[in-house]
Amino acid sequence: MPIMPENPVHLPAEKLSVGCPVLDRFLGGGIPFGFVTELAGEASSGKTQLCLQIVLSAASPRSCTPSASLFISTEPPFPLRRLLSLSSDTAPLDHIFVRSAFSSKELFGLLNHVDKLLSLVRLSSGRRVRILVLDSAAAVFHTDAEDAVRRSPELFTVAAKLKEQARRFNLAVIVTNHVVDVVDGGFSDLRVGNYLSLSSSGRKVCPAMGLAWSNCVNMRLFLSRSPEDGNGDTDGCANLQRKLQVVFAPHLPEGSCEFVIRREGVFGVGTQALIPTSLQ
């Protein structure tokens, strides 16, 4: 039997658009509020670009409830150029507040004062903060084997804080994560969601930070790239075949949807409905 993460009993009622109707339909309406959603994938799979598109979509006047966002960046530099190229607003940072944390200590400090930061943002922007992005958790907790045991309590403290804040403030918390290569046989007797079906750039991979972290998020989405190089595009947008995959979620079946990244943003391909992995 698969080992599934500890998700809350309640199902999400309110969702945040990801800025693409096709991807919103695939995700049952978008990213849920009150949950911690992980976007896992290798470098250049589109994790950060999707996060930027989400916060811009939330800030847009066309949104049902235009909202502000708190974006915690742990891997400098913050992609300001890409944010500006995606935005139709001349001043997107009026409603997207960026903070940096390059160590676990700095991250703890920010999370321990999120309530004050949310109040400050609301006073500055006139909007309620509804999205908290941590890009990425793996950069702060990247460890070698000797460090893993020592870092575990810190990781669990951050995870508990993110979940508490998601519930307390009804935030859509989005955390990005790296991937690591899977050694053949490493998961032959152990499954977390549909790990055995995860691959990117022709390699078997799994989200970083291990089984413990997988139980700290409510919803895990996996972004992957095809092995082909494709043709380069501006702003680092390559014309590659990509896939967004539901690894686990309390309200969605396992499934996948193809997407592309263009200068204008991240777009789902076609009008695909959710396809259970077992039927693919």
Side-chain angles (χ1 to χ4, degrees), residues 46-125:
K47 305 183 299 294
T48 298
Q49 295 201 57
L50 187 56
C51 288
L52 295 176
Q53 179 165 298
I54 290 170
V55 296
L56 286 170
S57 175
S60 171
R62 296 188 297 273
S63 172
C64 295
T65 55
S67 306
S69 306
L70 176 60
F71 197 112
I72 302 176
S73 176
T74 65
E75 296 181 283
F78 175 76
L80 179 60
R81 178 185 173 189
R82 183 56 176 150
L83 177 70
L84 295 175
S85 72
L86 287 170
S87 176
S88 58
D89 190 346
T90 56
L93 293 180
D94 283 352
H95 306 296
I96 301 169
F97 292 79
V98 181
R99 294 292 184 271
S100 298
F102 303 132
S103 68
S104 57
K105 182 178 180 180
E106 291 179 350
L107 180 57
F108 292 150
L110 282 174
L111 294 180
N112 284 331
H113 294 90
V114 157
D115 52 346
K116 294 180 181 177
L117 284 172
L118 299 189
S119 298
L120 179 63
V121 170
R122 187 162 189 174
L123 286 173
S124 301
S125 69

Side-chain angles (χ1 to χ4, degrees), residues 43 61 118 135 146 174 214 239 260 262 279:
L118 299 189
D135 183 29
E146 294 181 5
I174 304 168
S214 70
N239 188 23
V260 295
R262 300 194 180 103
L279 300 181

Side-chain angles (χ1 to χ4, degrees), residues 21-274:
V22 174
L23 294 179
D24 281 342
R25 284 194 295 272
F26 170 69
L27 296 172
I31 303 296
F33 287 98
F35 274 30
V36 177
T37 298
E38 181 192 77
L39 303 180
E42 67 172 312
S44 300
S45 60
K47 305 183 299 294
T48 298
Q49 295 201 57
L50 187 56
C51 288
L52 295 176
Q53 179 165 298
I54 290 170
V55 296
L56 286 170
S57 175
S60 171
R62 296 188 297 273
S63 172
C64 295
T65 55
S67 306
S69 306
L70 176 60
F71 197 112
I72 302 176
S73 176
T74 65
E75 296 181 283
F78 175 76
L80 179 60
R81 178 185 173 189
R82 183 56 176 150
L83 177 70
L84 295 175
S85 72
L86 287 170
S87 176
S88 58
D89 190 346
T90 56
L93 293 180
D94 283 352
H95 306 296
I96 301 169
F97 292 79
V98 181
R99 294 292 184 271
S100 298
F102 303 132
S103 68
S104 57
K105 182 178 180 180
E106 291 179 350
L107 180 57
F108 292 150
L110 282 174
L111 294 180
N112 284 331
H113 294 90
V114 157
D115 52 346
K116 294 180 181 177
L117 284 172
L118 299 189
S119 298
L120 179 63
V121 170
R122 187 162 189 174
L123 286 173
S124 301
S125 69
R127 295 184 180 183
R128 178 184 172 192
V129 177
R130 305 219 59 199
I131 305 99
L132 189 158
V133 175
L134 174 59
D135 183 29
S136 73
V140 173
F141 292 104
H142 179 70
T143 61
D144 54 29
E146 294 181 5
D147 235 11
V149 174
R150 182 179 64 82
R151 288 288 182 100
S152 291
E154 298 177 356
L155 187 149
F156 286 128
T157 300
V158 165
K161 194 68 174 176
L162 289 172
K163 276 191 173 181
E164 185 268 331
Q165 289 167 344
R167 291 191 299 265
R168 180 182 173 191
F169 301 108
N170 196 30
L171 298 173
V173 175
I174 304 168
V175 181
T176 66
N177 191 6
H178 300 164
V179 296
V180 294
D181 290 312
V182 173
V183 179
D184 287 342
F187 286 92
S188 58
D189 300 318
L190 174 65
R191 295 185 61 213
V192 181
N194 53 352
Y195 266 1
L196 297 182
S197 69
L198 303 186
S199 64
S200 188
S201 297
R203 307 174 352 255
K204 288 184 178 180
V205 298
C206 70
M209 300 193 292
L211 177 63
W213 174 257
S214 70
N215 283 278
C216 295
V217 298
N218 304 117
M219 176 175 171
R220 170 169 278 168
L221 303 176
F222 177 68
L223 290 75
S224 60
R225 301 166 22 135
S226 67
E228 294 79 16
D229 290 334
N231 298 316
D233 194 0
T234 57
D235 295 311
C237 302
N239 188 23
L240 296 171
Q241 177 187 351
R242 302 168 189 265
K243 185 167 67 173
L244 178 65
Q245 188 170 341
V246 175
V247 181
F248 58 72
H251 60 295
L252 297 173
E254 296 176 2
S256 63
C257 178
E258 292 185 359
F259 71 96
V260 295
I261 299 177
R262 300 194 180 103
R263 180 189 295 272
E264 299 82 10
V266 181
F267 302 98
V269 176
T271 56
Q272 293 169 278
L274 262 143

